[in-house]
């Protein structure tokens, strides 16, 4: 719908392209202009059609497409498009323009304006402003391109650091796997090996983050919004705790071999070393500490790095969660395959939570809650010794 009742000279005064035009220039330009309203989804101009108009967006938003679905750019209030009508002798529109919401544009008939010789000064004035704007936009695009190339080089370098260090650690671990397995079987205790591996992995992750050129915050090592993340993690973890409670109740209720096991057993984890409340408190404290370290390795070190450096695809989040948990579970394979599996499955849940929050706070709290509940309160380790 066209509206010619408005004072277009005052409307155009609000646009950056014509903001410094004189009152006389504005009035002359308004003679060749009209205000047009478009509904959401309407075509403003189609690719390949003759176009002799310059468009100023008064309000709303439009998108420019090349071909059917190739989005070129998005323009909003104050932006100008259709500059090709000033210098393209053929006068064909290079892109299709579609309104994305209720949109009003000022159409300037530059074809009619440039056909009149008595408006030479206005023609030169308008043309110089458009050329200046195009030059500015070109400079901005060049700067953006250089910035993108720099970021891409930085990302490739960081990916190289990640790959090199991970391959080194995995190779060494694989070579030592048989020896580690024999040591665990001979001593019956994997704690020393587990702690050593966790410390080594943590140090490697710190080194990767430092060499990457990115901040620790970008890997999720941050306290930003920690209250919100903590509250959300607790609420999301409570159903998991209830699930394990019902699971154990079901096992000891319906399977005769487990009927003698109590629902709650804080002594189960300490059968080999003997239970005392001081040992219990110390073990829980150590578990809390290493929960944070393990999440630092699996989430900030592996998952976050993989997500940051993997090619952009729809499944990028899923791939980063799966790969990071496979790598972390692999580091438990010296104990046995079942222990590695128990490290992998909860890791998928914590990987989802980390992808949601982008912070170590929530996943660390959830890890502590589930681990303490399952191991130290419900005593699920009883089922491993039967």
């Amino acid at each position: 719908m066209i509206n010619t009742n408005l004072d277009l000279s005052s409307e155009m005064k609000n646009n950056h392209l014509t903001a410094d035009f004189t009152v006389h220039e504005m009035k002359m330009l308004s003679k060749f202009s009209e205000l047009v309203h478009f509904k959401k989804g309407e075509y403003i101009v189609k690719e390949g059609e003759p176009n002799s108009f310059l468009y100023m967006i008064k309000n709303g938003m439009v998108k420019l497409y090349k071909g059917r679905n190739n989005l070129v750019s998005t323009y909003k209030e104050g932006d100008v498009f259709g500059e090709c009508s000033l210098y393209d002798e053929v006068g064909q529109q290079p892109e299709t323009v579609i309104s994305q919401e209720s949109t009003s544009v000022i159409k300037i008939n530059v074809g009619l304006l440039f056909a009149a010789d008595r408006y030479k000064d206005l023609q030169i004035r308008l043309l110089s402003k458009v050329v200046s704007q195009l030059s500015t936009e070109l400079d901005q695009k060049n700067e953006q391109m250089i910035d993108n190339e720099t970021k891409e080089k930085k990302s490739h370098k960081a990916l190289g650091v990640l790959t090199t260090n991970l391959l080194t650690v995995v190779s060494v671990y694989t070579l030592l796997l048989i020896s580690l397995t024999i040591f665990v079987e001979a001593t019956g205790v994997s704690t020393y090996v587990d702690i050593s591996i966790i410390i080594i992995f943590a140090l490697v992750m710190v080194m990767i983050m430092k060499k990457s050129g990115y901040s620790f915050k970008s890997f999720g090592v941050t306290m930003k919004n920690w209250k919100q993340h903590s509250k959300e993690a607790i609420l999301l973890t409570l159903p998991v705790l209830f699930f394990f409670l019902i699971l154990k109740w079901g096992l000891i209720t319906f399977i005769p071999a487990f009927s003698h096991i109590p629902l709650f057993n804080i002594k189960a984890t300490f059968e080999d070393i003997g239970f005392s409340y001081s040992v219990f408190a110390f073990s829980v404290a150590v578990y809390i500490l290493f929960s944070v370290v393990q999440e630092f390795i699996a989430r900030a070190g592996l998952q976050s790095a993989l997500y940051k450096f993997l090619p952009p695809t729809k499944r990028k989040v899923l791939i980063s969660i799966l790969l990071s948990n496979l790598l972390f579970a692999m580091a438990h394979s010296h104990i046995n395959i079942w222990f590695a599996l128990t490290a992998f499955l909860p890791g998928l849940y914590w990987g989802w939570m980390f992808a949601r929050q982008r912070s170590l706070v929530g996943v660390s709290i959830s890890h502590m809650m589930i681990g303490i509940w399952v191991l130290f309160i419900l005593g699920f380790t009883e089922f491993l010794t039967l």
Side-chain angles (χ1 to χ4, degrees):
M1 182 177 68
I2 300 175
N3 190 336
T4 57
N5 296 325
L6 293 175
D7 182 4
L8 293 184
S9 61
S10 62
E11 292 291 336
M12 287 187 287
K13 192 70 177 176
N14 296 325
N15 190 279
H16 66 90
L17 185 68
T18 52
D20 58 351
F21 276 30
T22 65
V23 174
H24 178 65
E25 289 172 333
M26 284 291 191
K27 287 184 177 180
M28 285 194 296
L29 191 61
S30 65
K31 293 178 181 180
F32 299 91
S33 307
E34 58 189 10
L35 182 65
V36 186
H37 305 284
F38 294 92
K39 297 178 182 179
K40 180 181 179 180
E42 276 195 275
Y43 285 86
I44 296 176
V45 61
K46 294 183 179 180
E47 180 181 350
E49 288 184 348
N51 180 39
S52 58
F53 294 93
L54 182 68
Y55 299 83
M56 297 178 177
I57 302 178
K58 180 179 179 291
N59 54 59
M61 180 175 68
V62 304
K63 287 188 176 181
L64 278 65
Y65 294 89
K66 193 76 176 176
R68 287 188 175 182
N69 302 310
N70 186 18
L71 177 63
V72 176
S73 57
T74 300
Y75 288 167
K76 298 181 180 179
E77 180 179 339
D79 290 336
V80 178
F81 62 92
E83 299 93 336
C84 62
S85 60
L86 292 169
Y87 52 80
D88 186 0
E89 294 181 0
V90 178
Q92 288 186 338
Q93 175 64 23
E95 303 99 2
T96 295
V97 185
I98 304 175
S99 62
Q100 301 303 300
E101 57 189 43
S102 180
T103 302
S104 300
V105 300
I106 298 174
K107 290 176 63 176
I108 303 174
N109 193 332
V110 293
L112 189 61
L113 171 62
F114 277 72
D117 291 338
R118 61 195 181 101
Y119 295 109
K120 285 290 184 183
D121 291 342
L122 182 60
Q123 294 168 10
I124 295 172
R125 181 87 160 116
L126 184 61
L127 188 60
S128 64
K129 291 292 293 183
V130 170
V131 170
S132 177
Q133 176 178 295
L134 290 174
S135 177
T136 301
E137 291 177 354
L138 183 61
D139 289 340
Q140 291 174 347
K141 287 181 180 179
N142 286 336
E143 289 176 3
Q144 184 65 41
M145 188 179 299
I146 294 171
D147 185 50
N148 289 338
E149 289 178 355
T150 303
K151 288 181 178 178
E152 188 174 351
K153 289 179 180 178
K154 184 178 179 180
S155 179
H156 286 164
K157 178 184 176 182
L159 180 59
V161 172
L162 173 68
T163 304
T164 302
N165 284 277
L166 282 182
L167 285 175
T168 301
V169 173
V170 170
S171 299
V172 173
Y173 178 79
T174 304
L175 291 171
L176 295 176
L177 183 58
I178 296 177
S179 300
L180 293 174
T181 304
I182 293 173
F183 176 81
V184 171
E185 290 177 352
T187 60
V189 179
S190 65
T191 305
Y192 303 114
V193 176
D194 297 340
I195 292 176
S196 299
I197 290 175
I198 288 174
I199 291 174
I200 292 171
F201 261 97
L203 292 174
V204 170
M205 291 304 114
V206 170
M207 183 171 61
I208 289 173
M209 291 179 193
K210 284 185 175 181
K211 288 186 176 181
S212 70
Y214 294 89
S215 66
F216 277 78
K217 181 180 178 180
S218 68
F219 287 93
V221 185
T222 175
M223 294 297 291
K224 185 179 180 181
N225 299 325
W226 69 271
K227 290 183 179 179
Q228 177 187 341
H229 293 157
S230 300
K231 182 179 179 181
E232 185 180 55
I234 292 171
L235 292 175
L236 290 172
T237 304
L238 287 175
V240 179
L241 303 185
F242 183 71
F243 165 78
F244 279 107
L245 178 66
I246 296 300
L247 175 62
K248 186 172 182 182
W249 175 83
L251 290 173
I252 63 179
T253 301
F254 299 106
I255 300 178
F258 301 149
S259 60
H260 65 285
I261 298 176
L263 183 60
F264 299 99
N265 189 354
I266 63 174
K267 298 180 180 181
T269 305
F270 307 96
E271 285 187 359
D272 294 334
I273 61 175
F275 175 81
S276 70
Y277 285 104
S278 59
V279 171
F280 177 85
F282 176 76
S283 299
V284 170
V286 171
Y287 185 85
I288 290 174
L289 173 63
F290 276 91
S291 293
V292 178
V293 177
Q294 288 181 45
E295 290 307 314
F296 172 78
I297 296 169
R299 250 47 73 184
L302 294 173
Q303 181 179 328
S304 186
L306 288 168
Y307 177 80
K308 187 182 294 292
F309 308 134
L310 282 172
T313 62
K314 292 181 179 180
R315 298 180 180 179
K316 188 176 180 179
V317 174
L318 179 61
I319 293 173
S320 63
I321 292 173
L322 288 173
L323 285 179
S324 60
N325 281 288
L326 281 172
L327 286 167
F328 191 71
M330 176 213 67
H332 295 80
S333 56
H334 61 276
I335 303 174
N336 56 56
I337 186 62
W338 297 111
F339 200 91
L341 187 62
T342 58
F344 177 75
L345 294 177
L348 297 177
Y349 173 72
W350 292 320
W352 166 80
M353 185 182 293
F354 181 78
R356 176 188 176 92
Q357 297 182 340
R358 302 301 301 168
S359 170
L360 277 180
V361 175
V363 289
S364 297
I365 291 174
S366 179
H367 192 143
M368 296 172 197
M369 290 175 64
I370 293 176
I372 292 171
W373 178 251
V374 173
L375 299 176
F376 297 104
I377 297 177
L378 293 179
F380 261 83
T381 53
E382 291 174 288
F383 297 106
L384 300 178
T385 58
L386 293 175

